[in-house]
Amino acid sequence: MAAVGPRLKGLRTQRGLSLTALAHATGISLSTLSRLESGQRRPTLELLLPLARELRVDIGELIGAPQTGDPRLHLQPVTRHGMTMLPLTRRAGSLQAYKLIISPRTRSPEPEQSSHEGYEWLYVLDGRLRLVLGDNDLVMGPGEAAEFDTRIPHWFGNADDDPVEILSLLGHQGERAHLRARTVRKKDTETDSE
């Protein structure tokens, strides 16, 4: 139970929530949350239930329960501002994966760019995605991917009146999602051509 505080703080900061925002969302006082995170307050089920619900994790993750050996994820989708997010990762780590479905009716068609620490990779599964990245305004279709530093002001949403479905990988600490390829040295190519 002593590890609940650091896990709670890690999940909260990973999701970009302040103590005040989490206190407001859960109805738990700011001082109680602060004492929970610092280990000065013993966690109770009454406190853990709303925290797990708001942080979109299983209580077992908050208390560090051993895994059952079943690798399947049983995560719940969350809908906010016309976007349904299905987390595809459950560990409190730096790299998070999501499947997003963006409804054209409830998302603002006018881009309101924002920026934050991190790095993001987007892959369009279905529909057409509009990505505004700095001064670039792009439309992407199924099978197309984009990768960018999230410190650059950005916005994404529907390119037309149909829903768009995408995969998103987000590294909050600035990690890049990339493929590694073996570089071909000049000496290797000269030997192959002889």
Side-chain angles (χ1 to χ4, degrees), residues 135-157:
D135 294 331
N136 296 312
D137 195 333
L138 310 164
V139 174
M140 300 167 53
E144 290 188 286
E147 175 178 26
F148 56 93
D149 186 327
T150 57
R151 292 175 294 186
I152 299 170
H154 61 280
W155 174 93
F156 57 86

Side-chain angles (χ1 to χ4, degrees), residues 25-85:
T26 60
I28 299 171
S29 75
L30 184 62
S31 63
T32 298
L33 284 177
S34 179
R35 289 193 322 256
L36 272 173
E37 282 190 0
S38 67
Q40 297 173 350
R41 167 96 190 235
R42 186 168 175 85
T44 63
L45 191 56
E46 179 182 9
L47 295 172
L48 292 175
L49 284 172
L51 289 169
R53 186 171 35 253
E54 183 61 29
L55 295 170
R56 300 180 312 278
V57 296
D58 187 272
I59 287 182
E61 186 172 338
L62 274 178
I63 63 172
Q67 290 191 1
T68 63
D70 183 352
R72 293 175 293 176
L73 299 177
H74 302 284
L75 303 171
Q76 298 298 316
V78 175
T79 301
R80 289 197 178 120
H81 310 292
M83 184 183 308
T84 300
M85 292 187 338

Side-chain angles (χ1 to χ4, degrees), residues 122-177:
L122 302 173
Y123 179 81
V124 181
L125 295 167
D126 192 36
R128 292 170 18 99
L129 179 75
R130 180 178 177 202
L131 171 63
V132 179
L133 182 62
D135 294 331
N136 296 312
D137 195 333
L138 310 164
V139 174
M140 300 167 53
E144 290 188 286
E147 175 178 26
F148 56 93
D149 186 327
T150 57
R151 292 175 294 186
I152 299 170
H154 61 280
W155 174 93
F156 57 86
N158 304 76
D160 51 32
D161 291 333
D162 294 319
V164 64
E165 193 173 323
I166 63 174
L167 291 179
S168 169
L169 294 179
L170 179 64
H172 293 284
Q173 309 305 322
E175 295 88 352
R176 295 185 62 171

